[in-house]
Every structure is written in C-alpha cells, then in structure tokens.
Amino acid sequence: MTDIALWPAYRLAEAIRRRELSSRELLEHHLARVERFNPSLNAVVTLDPDGARRAADAADGALARGAPVGPLHGVPMTIKDTYETAGMRTTSGHPEWDHVPERDAEAVRRLRAAGAVIFGKTNTPTRAADWQTFNPIFGTTNNPWDVSRTPGGSSGGASAALATGMTALELGSDIAGSIRVPANWCGVCGHKPSWGLVPQRGHLPPPPGALAESDLGVMGPMARDVADLEFMLDILAGPTELSAVGWRLELPPARASSLGELRLATWLDDADYPVEADVGATLDAAVAALSDAGARLVDAKPPVTLAELVGLHQVLLYPLMDPTSTLSHRQWMSAHERRELLRAKMADYFRDVDALLMPITGVPAVKHDHHEPFIERLIPFGDENRSYFDLFGWVGLATVAYLPATAVPVGRTAGGLPVGVQVVGPFLEDRTTLTVARHIERLLGGFTPPPGYT
C-alpha cells in the first residue's frame, strides 16, 4: 500500500475535507519522514513544527465548525528557501540575505490563503545560481536516487523532498532550468509557467525588499503528479495586487484533450548540445510509446538553434545574476529585440504545432562538483568531458521566449537514474503543455519513488 506521504496533494486535500485524515495527523506523518530521511539528504533545512502544528490544529478546527475552506486546506508542504516566509527564516543560501521576514512572498501568501500548512524550507544554491544545490549556510543536498550525485538546482532541496515524500507539494522557481533540471534529475514533475503568470514579489533574488519584476525568472509548482501541478497553478497564477485593479487572468483551455488530436513535434538531439546515448534511448522510447498510443507526431523544427538560444539567454541572464555586469541599457534593448523576434517566430511555429517535446538535460544527474569558478567544471559524457555550461543548452528556449514548459518523468537510464522530458508550448497556453504531460504520465507511469523511500 502506498504511504499517504506519496499520495497526490489533491487526494490529501480531499481526504482532509472528508475528515478521513486530519491536518495534524498528516503534518506529524510528514515531520516523521523528515526526521527519518532528511539526515542523509539535507533537503529540508529549516523547520517550524510548532507554528505548523498551530496552523494544522486551526485547519482541523475550521472543518469541525463547518467553516468554508480553500482547495489546499490543511495540506502540509515546504517552500524553497528563495521565498520569504513570514516568521520563518529565509536565506536563499546567501549569508547577507539571512533574515526572518515579516511578510510572505506573494506566491506563498496565495498558498496559505488556499489553506496550505507550511512547515519548513528546502535548500537552494547560493542566490539560486547553480544547477547543484549547496551553500555556505546549510551545506550540500544529495539526490535520493544516488547520494553521490546532485538533485539539481536551484530547486534541488524541493525536488529531493518531493521524491522522498517529505512534502506534499513544493514552490519552485526557474530562470535557467531551476524547476525543470531538478525535476528531471529526481524523477518528479515541475511546471515552468509562461513568464508573468505568477507574481515574483518576495522571491530572492533580487535582494530582500525588491519590488521590480525580474526578466526571465518565473515562479512555479513542483509535485509528484501532473494533476497537482495544474491544481497548484490555478492557486498561484493571477495578476499582482496593483494590476488586479484592471487586469484579469483567463488562460485558454488546452488546444485538445485527446492524444490523437494534439500535434506534437520533437527535438531530441543537437550537434552543439548532444544527448547522452542512455538518455536519448529513454526519450526515443517515450516518443515511440506515444506514437504507438496514437499520438499525432509532426515533423517541425523550431526556427532557432540551441547555440543561438544559449547566447541570447546568457546576454539577458548575466546582468540579473552578476552584480559586476557592465551591460548597458542600449545593449539590453538590442538583446530584448532579438528575443521579441524569436517570440514572434515561435508564435508562428505554434500555429501548426501544439507542443514540442525536448530533453531537459543531455545527461542524468551529475556527481557533486563544487569546483569554483563553476565555468571550469566539466561533465563526464561518454568517453569525453563536456562543459558544465552545456546545461544551458536545452532549457533556454522556454526561458528566453517566455514559454510554458512542463517537466514529467519518462523512464530511467540503465544505471537507474531518472530521465524526464519537457513539454514546451505556446505563450500563455500552459494548459496545453500540462495536458500533454498528463498523457505522457498516464502512458509511461509517471512518478516512482526512489528505492528505500516508499
């Protein structure tokens, strides 16, 4: 029988509403799993059990009184430590930003308003700026499939906690694959929303107190189940308080509901950013299974190369991450115009294609490597080494062009490491990528817990 800590969050919420489980009971169960599994993983780095117990008891009391409740009422979860959490330590892995906020980040506020019981924070690299998760405050997070490897970054603690049932849901963020890479390497699900869907206020970086929305970065859900991604996105998405005076969000429905109606293209390998044979074989098998199940596969390559995407991604990203950047506003505007041309081309591309299936990384989870500067790190690739910056290769399209991308597991390598695929879709058509991911999940089995964590 599946441990309740591995149930989808929507099912937990239903069980709490039906009084089959209490919020307090479920919270204690998750806290016990943290106590049991976290020492070897270091995924959950801050806990507030007393505050969470008060919130869980209040949730149970509200149900007993027959009070109206939100969709996440009583469900316990953790939050990536890049989000400000009122009364709970927040660091983004950076000693200069270590503080206890008085106010929740807007995305966190929305989750609490929906009834979530937040009991802890998960680890992230310093200032969320790495594809591995370690920092000088909390140390290194390990991958539950192989503790000698990283879970990915920057939502590495989040993905490891999800994979091991230490949390029901997670709130990630993504500016260069930070939701998708950890989801891929830990075998869980993640959704990088279209840029601008979820307010950024209270996310670090930028530094605490910043109000301006950052380019490229998005806030998004992570879960073990695609239905939970949809469930959580409905809670998170919407205009900021200031914009809500005149703006409303109404995402279009998925372009089609059946697999045979959806036009799916694939881009599974590239000469500049090659995919390891084991990963490629897993992705090919997934596409073959889709074809056998009646998927409508179309031959359509995007109007851009990965090399072009990586160059543009780096030009737009570095001023956000590097305080010593000397990029002028004029130079940024030139890069922004190139981005807008790309967005127009991708809009045309998606007139004949509903979703594009792509690798997330060319390799499975890599061994821990904290060598600095990380530009000098290397990734073993067959009989050779590739640059660590190859990890930019497959994540850039969705980031640079503001597109939605849903990460979902599709299998494992011969060595037993998870492999996922990202479903990239048209701007603001997040429900289409989520629908395709749901079909993939149903067909290929979706999330499987790592050995020893059932």
Side-chain angles (χ1 to χ4, degrees), residues 276-277 363 379-386:
E276 195 175 76
V363 293
I379 296 174
F381 188 95
D383 297 329
E384 61 175 337
N385 290 320
R386 301 282 304 185

Side-chain angles (χ1 to χ4, degrees), residues 65-395:
R65 294 191 305 274
V69 299
L72 276 178
H73 187 81
V75 175
M77 66 176 294
T78 53
I79 299 288
K80 180 182 179 181
D81 192 31
T82 53
Y83 289 93
E84 293 190 312
T85 41
M88 193 184 305
R89 187 182 186 187
T90 301
T91 74
S92 196
H94 187 36
E96 294 179 17
W97 294 352
D98 189 349
H99 69 301
V100 178
E102 296 181 357
R103 181 185 183 190
D104 282 330
E106 177 58 19
V108 175
R109 186 198 68 77
R110 293 180 182 193
L111 292 170
R112 284 201 211 265
V117 172
I118 295 169
F119 67 89
K121 307 290 286 289
T122 51
N123 208 20
T124 184
T126 303
R127 291 182 294 139
D130 202 339
W131 292 293
Q132 298 181 67
T133 294
F134 65 96
N135 63 63
I137 300 174
F138 297 118
T140 302
T141 298
N142 299 322
N143 190 314
W145 290 89
D146 178 349
V147 295
S148 71
R149 298 175 187 268
T150 179
S154 61
S155 306
S159 59
L162 279 167
T164 54
M166 291 192 284
T167 184
L169 290 170
E170 253 288 352
L171 179 61
S173 55
D174 190 312
I175 201 169
S178 287
I179 287 173
R180 292 164 286 161
V181 171
N184 180 38
W185 285 352
C186 286
V188 298
C189 301
H191 182 67
K192 175 218 163 297
S194 297
W195 187 84
L197 277 193
V198 181
Q200 299 179 18
R201 186 199 56 76
H203 182 273
L204 316 180
L211 295 178
E213 299 270 294
S214 294
D215 190 20
L216 303 176
V218 298
M219 323 290 109
M222 300 182 71
R224 291 178 291 270
D225 183 284
V226 176
D228 276 350
L229 298 180
E230 297 173 297
F231 178 48
M232 198 171 167
L233 185 66
D234 284 342
I235 293 166
L236 293 170
T240 63
E241 184 177 359
L242 288 175
S243 297
V245 173
W247 293 103
R248 300 289 181 271
L249 177 67
E250 187 175 332
L251 293 178
R255 290 188 174 185
S257 57
S258 73
L259 192 57
E261 293 175 300
L262 289 157
R263 299 165 298 174
L264 306 181
T266 62
W267 186 4
L268 299 181
D269 206 354
D270 186 87
D272 291 322
Y273 294 90
V275 174
E276 195 175 76
D278 214 359
V279 173
T282 306
L283 294 170
D284 286 341
V287 171
L290 286 168
S291 179
D292 291 344
R296 185 180 172 190
L297 298 177
V298 298
D299 184 10
K301 297 301 181 188
V304 65
T305 68
L306 290 189
E308 289 169 337
L309 284 168
V310 169
L312 183 54
H313 191 177
Q314 291 175 349
V315 168
L316 292 167
L317 176 65
Y318 287 172
L320 302 174
M321 309 298 286
D322 182 1
T324 66
S325 171
T326 57
L327 189 78
S328 69
H329 184 63
R330 184 183 298 276
Q331 291 169 320
W332 184 89
M333 285 298 296
S334 175
H336 179 54
E337 179 61 22
R338 289 163 54 200
R339 186 240 307 278
E340 289 304 305
L341 289 171
L342 170 64
R343 295 185 68 205
K345 289 179 181 179
M346 289 308 300
D348 286 340
Y349 173 80
F350 281 120
R351 296 183 196 281
D352 301 312
V353 172
D354 296 321
L356 173 65
L357 307 185
M358 301 173 68
I360 299 168
T361 59
V363 293
V366 299
K367 297 277 188 178
H368 295 294
D369 179 1
H370 300 173
H371 182 77
E372 296 290 351
F374 71 41
I375 193 173
E376 297 178 3
R377 295 179 196 163
L378 297 173
I379 296 174
F381 188 95
D383 297 329
E384 61 175 337
N385 290 320
R386 301 282 304 185
S387 167
Y388 191 64
F389 274 31
D390 269 23
L391 296 174
F392 269 114
W394 293 100
V395 298

